[in-house]
Amino acid sequence: MEQKSWKRTRINYMGLLGTVSLISYTVAVLFSPLDYPGYDWMSQAVSDLSASDSPSLQSWQRLSALYGVCGLVSVMMVYVYVRGKLTKTIRRGIYTFAWMSWISSVGYTIFPLSTKGYTGTFNDIMHVYVVTALVVVLSIVSLLLIMTGGYRNRKYLSLAVWASIALAFMFAGAVGAGAVPRAYFGIVERCSVFSAVAFNAVLGVYLYLGFWHETDRKA
């Protein structure tokens, strides 16, 4: 069967914002500690950099300015684009990932850590036990759905592989946080936080490529 011609549209180009989001986040993680005297990236969490009383808060806000908005725009464009495409299971995974991204962006903005680490304030409780819990659960569910749909339909195998890598890093961070010495907590914690941001960028690249022009209607 002759393959239909495909032309990249503006919505496809919007997927590149996922990569912009990843770059902005990476720059913030790497350079905002310069304004945080004594910050130890190997032992401290990324969220310490944006805590309410963190000396690096303003640097974090400037450097990560494109992280949240670009990430949300990219994933929502993916959300819109895949309607009626791919498979039902993969679509549900992408929809779940999009909702996770909203909860992460809004939740962590409203409830930043009050100070370094966890001190038991209302903000800390909401940050750790509500927002983080929802983000972790929805991230795992979304990636499992994408993996299931991708491995079931070999046309989307590469997407399933990327989801598997993201989930592996997420679990490595979650398990490692409780297994490694405190001095190395920051290293394993970064496995978790970067896995979701990076996978958002991956989805954006797939959007830019038109998901290889795949259109399995209501599969």
Side-chain angles (χ1 to χ4, degrees):
M1 181 181 294
E2 183 180 355
Q3 186 176 10
K4 295 181 179 179
S5 60
W6 178 78
K7 182 179 180 181
R8 188 171 285 117
T9 64
R10 280 176 292 184
I11 192 172
N12 298 113
Y13 283 103
M14 297 294 272
L16 295 177
L17 291 177
T19 301
V20 174
S21 173
L22 174 59
I23 293 173
S24 177
Y25 187 79
T26 303
V27 168
V29 171
L30 291 176
F31 294 105
S32 59
L34 296 177
D35 290 322
Y36 193 133
Y39 182 83
D40 180 12
W41 70 271
M42 294 181 65
S43 63
Q44 289 184 245
V46 171
S47 54
D48 286 353
L49 296 169
S50 59
S52 298
D53 66 348
S54 171
S56 61
L57 177 59
Q58 290 188 356
S59 294
W60 175 271
Q61 291 174 336
R62 288 195 298 268
L63 295 174
S64 66
L66 295 176
Y67 154 60
V69 63
C70 289
L72 286 178
V73 171
S74 177
V75 77
M76 291 312 296
M77 292 301 98
V78 174
Y79 187 107
V80 172
Y81 185 82
V82 299
R83 182 179 181 185
K85 300 180 177 68
L86 309 178
T87 70
K88 183 182 293 185
T89 304
I90 295 177
R91 287 198 303 273
R92 287 176 175 172
I94 290 174
Y95 296 160
T96 304
F97 190 85
W99 283 112
M100 179 280 297
S101 299
W102 273 101
I103 291 172
S104 174
S105 180
V106 175
Y108 288 132
T109 300
I110 296 176
F111 304 111
L113 285 177
S114 58
T115 188
K116 171 185 172 182
Y118 178 84
T119 58
T121 66
F122 176 74
N123 266 15
D124 293 341
I125 293 172
M126 294 299 293
H127 183 102
V128 175
Y129 294 110
V130 178
V131 179
T132 298
L134 285 172
V135 167
V136 170
V137 170
L138 291 178
S139 295
I140 292 173
V141 170
S142 66
L143 293 173
L144 286 175
L145 286 171
I146 293 171
M147 288 165 57
T148 300
Y151 287 125
R152 183 182 298 162
N153 188 325
R154 307 296 285 184
K155 291 167 65 177
Y156 311 112
L157 179 61
S158 63
L159 186 58
V161 170
W162 279 111
S164 299
I165 294 172
L167 187 61
F169 272 90
M170 192 171 295
F171 274 127
V175 174
V180 302
R182 181 66 193 181
Y184 302 108
F185 171 81
I187 297 176
V188 295
E189 187 258 357
R190 279 160 173 76
C191 291
S192 292
V193 297
F194 268 100
S195 61
V197 182
F199 189 70
N200 193 12
V202 168
L203 287 178
V205 171
Y206 271 79
L207 173 60
Y208 176 74
L209 298 173
F211 283 86
W212 280 280
H213 323 154
E214 311 281 15
T215 55
D216 282 350
R217 296 289 174 179
K218 304 302 181 183

